[in-house]
């Protein structure tokens, strides 16, 4: 079933390995690319000590781990305002003779958007033809691997593209299996260097193994096999279509409030990423914090380099997130925004707290109800003072976050 999902023409020629998730799968795929590149450089009598890999700065942290742990230079395509995935043109420009592969993401961690693997493949084909290199592509389809085959079948991102040599997918994301299952598949056996594979026979027969983990249970493999047989193509298609429809309903509800910019795309992982249009009084961190009182854990975080100035909230829509929950979440977000509107802005509160700390005589003002007008007056009186400047710097320095 997996081979047909990924349009792998000759399944007999392919090879793959089960992992505990896409992080391990990516490590293994990266090792295969590095070793194959090194072997070719040795045959050509060229230096093989400075491998690099090209990705977008929006990649999941496991790519950074691979680069650091296995001594591969990570060349990142930075993001820009309004474009929050890897630009294929810039990525191909970064490719050189030491590039072991270009990694494309089918479902960005930040906003769920699919990167344009087809364009990347076409541009890289042209560059390989001009230079004589054979730089390949790996597709990190941890989330999108169980989305695109069912609801975007015409989207070319998989083994239909000649430069895509390996793909990783997580079963515990949209494969509908509990945590601890993923895999990486190579187009052909030649794409996985034989010296990376170990053979053992102390279990009674020859058993090839290529893994970074050791003892692990088979329950997740069995569960994934069961889900594939039980649901089949139509079952998965119905579930993923329903997830996408609920994500669209949530998006429409947020748009109707008039308060948010939507940063996720309709074609992508079923999630909704959004940010405030007006951050002059309150920010996404406050919304995230207040939503916890209603039982929602909605993370607030900053975009990847060079778009760190963009702060957003993200809601991932899974099979158990139904339409009524989407409507309830929109309603609770509206209540939170109204509540925040009734409070003084965070900057005013920060400045006031700093002044009270340094000037105890102002404490009396904070022990009795004060209307927004009085708080505003206090703020305006000290705006030009050094105390206000220091308070503002302290406020800004707290606004750092990350995603993994």
């Amino acid at each position: 079933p997996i081979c047909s999902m990924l349009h792998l023409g000759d399944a007999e020629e392919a090879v793959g390995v089960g992992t505990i998730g896409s992080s391990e799968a990516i490590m293994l795929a990266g090792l295969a690319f590095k070793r194959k590149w090194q072997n070719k450089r040795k045959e050509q009598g060229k230096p093989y000590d400075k491998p690099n890999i090209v990705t977008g700065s929006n990649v999941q942290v496991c790519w950074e781990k691979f680069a650091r742990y296995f001594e591969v230079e990570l060349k990142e395509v930075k993001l820009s305002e309004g474009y929050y995935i890897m630009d294929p043109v810039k990525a191909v420009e970064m490719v050189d003779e030491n590039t072991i592969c270009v990694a494309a993401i089918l479902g960005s961690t930040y906003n769920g958007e699919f990167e344009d693997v087809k364009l990347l493949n076409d541009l890289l084909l042209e560059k390989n033809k001009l230079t004589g290199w054979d730089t390949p592509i790996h597709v990190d389809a941890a989330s999108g691997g169980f989305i695109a085959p069912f609801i975007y079948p015409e989207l070319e991102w998989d083994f239909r593209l000649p430069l895509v040599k390996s793909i990783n997918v997580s079963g515990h994301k949209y494969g509908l299996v509990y945590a601890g299952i993923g895999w990486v598949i190579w187009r052909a056996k030649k794409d996985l260097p034989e010296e990376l594979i170990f053979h053992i026979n102390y279990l009674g027969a020859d058993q090839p193994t290529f893994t970074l983990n050791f003892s692990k249970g088979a329950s997740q493999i069995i569960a994934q096999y069961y889900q594939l047989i039980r649901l089949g193509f139509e079952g998965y298609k119905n579930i993923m279509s329903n997830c996408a429809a609920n994500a669209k309903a949530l998006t429409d509800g947020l748009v109707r409030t008039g308060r948010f910019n939507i940063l996720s795309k309709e074609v992508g992982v079923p999630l909704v990423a959004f940010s405030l249009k007006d951050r002059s009084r309150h920010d996404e961190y406050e919304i995230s914090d207040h939503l916890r009182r209603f039982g929602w854990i909605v993370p607030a975080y900053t975009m990847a380099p060079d778009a760190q100035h963009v702060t957003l909230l993200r809601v991932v829509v899974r099979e158990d997130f139904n339409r009524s929950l989407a409507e309830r979440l929109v309603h609770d977000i509206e209540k939170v925004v109204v509540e925040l509107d009734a409070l003084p802005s965070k900057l005013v509160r920060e400045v006031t707290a700093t002044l009270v700390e340094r000037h105890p005589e102002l404490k009396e003002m904070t022990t009795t109800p004060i209307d927004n007008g009085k708080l505003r007056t206090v703020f305006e009186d000290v705006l030009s003072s050094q105390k206000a400047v220091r308070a503002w710097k302290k406020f800004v320095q707290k606004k750092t976050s990350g995603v993994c």
Side-chain angles (χ1 to χ4, degrees):
I2 301 300
C3 290
S4 61
M5 277 173 50
L6 305 180
H7 293 91
L8 191 56
D10 188 356
E12 293 297 323
E13 178 62 19
V15 62
V17 61
T19 64
I20 60 169
S22 279
S23 291
E24 183 189 6
I26 285 166
M27 301 285 178
L28 298 178
L31 281 171
F33 282 119
K34 180 183 178 182
R35 183 59 61 90
K36 188 173 182 182
W37 173 83
Q38 287 177 324
N39 289 343
K40 183 174 182 179
R41 298 283 289 182
K42 290 176 184 178
E43 291 175 1
Q44 297 172 338
K46 296 180 179 179
Y48 53 90
D49 59 333
K50 294 182 179 180
N52 68 65
I53 186 170
V54 176
T55 72
S57 64
N58 59 313
V59 292
Q60 214 262 7
V61 70
C62 62
W63 284 99
E64 298 179 45
K65 289 181 179 180
F66 163 74
R68 189 176 302 178
Y69 294 167
F70 296 105
E71 299 181 323
V72 176
E73 179 190 359
L74 185 64
K75 300 173 72 172
E76 293 184 333
V77 179
K78 304 302 182 184
L79 308 187
S80 59
E81 182 71 37
Y83 198 93
Y84 303 123
I85 55 175
M86 180 179 70
D87 184 339
V89 175
K90 294 180 180 178
V92 173
E93 289 175 354
M94 286 186 173
V95 171
D96 59 32
E97 64 178 351
N98 293 321
T99 302
I100 63 175
C101 80
V102 181
I105 313 299
L106 199 74
S108 170
T109 300
Y110 291 85
N111 69 342
E113 189 174 354
F114 291 166
E115 293 183 343
D116 194 341
V117 188
K118 176 68 164 61
L119 177 58
L120 176 64
N121 178 84
D122 294 345
L123 293 173
L124 201 50
L125 278 173
E126 292 181 13
K127 184 158 189 173
N128 284 346
K129 185 177 180 180
L130 289 173
T131 60
W133 305 333
D134 56 355
T135 308
I137 295 172
H138 175 85
V139 179
D140 179 359
S143 295
F146 265 102
I147 303 295
F150 301 109
I151 57 179
Y152 309 117
E154 302 304 318
L155 184 67
E156 294 184 50
W157 63 274
D158 49 23
F159 289 119
R160 284 172 287 185
L161 304 175
L163 289 183
V164 174
K165 302 300 183 182
S166 56
I167 298 173
N168 69 275
V169 185
S170 289
H172 57 232
K173 290 186 169 68
Y174 284 92
L176 310 182
V177 177
Y178 38 85
I181 176 64
W183 55 86
V184 56
I185 297 177
W186 287 269
R187 176 189 292 272
K189 292 181 177 66
K190 65 181 180 180
D191 295 316
L192 174 57
E194 178 64 31
E195 63 263 34
L196 293 176
I197 302 173
F198 291 85
H199 293 265
I200 59 174
N201 62 9
Y202 48 72
L203 295 179
D206 179 66
Q207 182 179 345
T209 175
F210 178 39
T211 177
L212 294 177
N213 286 279
F214 299 92
S215 299
K216 59 182 178 181
S219 57
Q220 293 92 341
I221 297 288
I222 296 169
Q224 185 69 80
Y225 190 54
Y226 169 77
Q227 288 287 56
L228 290 169
I229 293 175
R230 173 178 175 268
L231 295 173
F233 185 90
E234 289 301 319
Y236 271 99
K237 180 180 179 181
N238 290 337
I239 291 172
M240 301 310 153
S241 297
N242 189 56
C243 289
N246 289 333
K248 180 67 164 58
L250 178 57
T251 298
D252 293 343
L254 292 172
V255 169
R256 282 194 297 271
T257 68
R259 297 292 196 111
F260 301 100
N261 293 313
I262 305 300
L263 304 181
S264 48
K265 304 295 182 181
E266 189 169 342
V267 176
V269 175
L271 65 79
V272 183
F274 55 102
S275 62
L276 281 166
K277 288 182 177 180
D278 181 7
R279 304 181 76 248
S280 61
R281 290 178 55 79
H282 306 287
D283 60 26
E284 292 80 3
Y285 296 98
E286 291 179 275
I287 292 178
S288 175
D289 183 54
H290 279 65
L291 279 173
R292 288 176 179 267
R293 294 191 294 107
F294 295 92
W296 299 102
I297 300 178
V298 180
Y301 53 93
T302 55
M303 273 287 185
D306 283 335
Q308 301 99 319
H309 61 284
V310 178
T311 307
L312 63 158
L313 296 148
R314 180 188 62 185
V315 178
V316 178
V317 177
R318 300 290 294 272
E319 72 278 6
D320 55 352
F321 187 89
N322 56 34
R323 189 65 56 90
S324 62
L325 282 176
E327 294 170 353
R328 176 183 152 194
L329 177 55
V330 172
H331 179 65
D332 289 344
I333 289 174
E334 288 181 305
K335 286 197 292 186
V336 164
V337 172
V338 170
E339 289 177 0
L340 288 173
D341 284 344
L343 297 174
S345 72
K346 192 163 188 176
L347 178 57
V348 171
R349 298 201 306 274
E350 292 276 349
V351 171
T352 303
T354 300
L355 286 173
V356 169
E357 181 182 347
R358 295 176 177 272
H359 298 275
E361 66 271 16
L362 296 176
K363 188 174 183 180
E364 182 181 350
M365 295 180 63
T366 65
T367 59
T368 58
I370 305 174
D371 61 32
N372 289 349
K374 289 183 179 179
L375 280 174
R376 187 66 186 175
T377 300
V378 172
F379 172 67
E380 291 174 346
D381 287 344
V382 302
L383 184 60
S384 60
S385 70
Q386 289 301 310
K387 297 182 183 67
V389 172
R390 285 194 294 269
W392 170 247
K393 287 182 178 179
K394 181 180 177 182
F395 171 71
V396 172
Q397 288 169 355
K398 292 180 180 178
K399 292 299 151 193
T400 57
S401 182
V403 173
C404 62

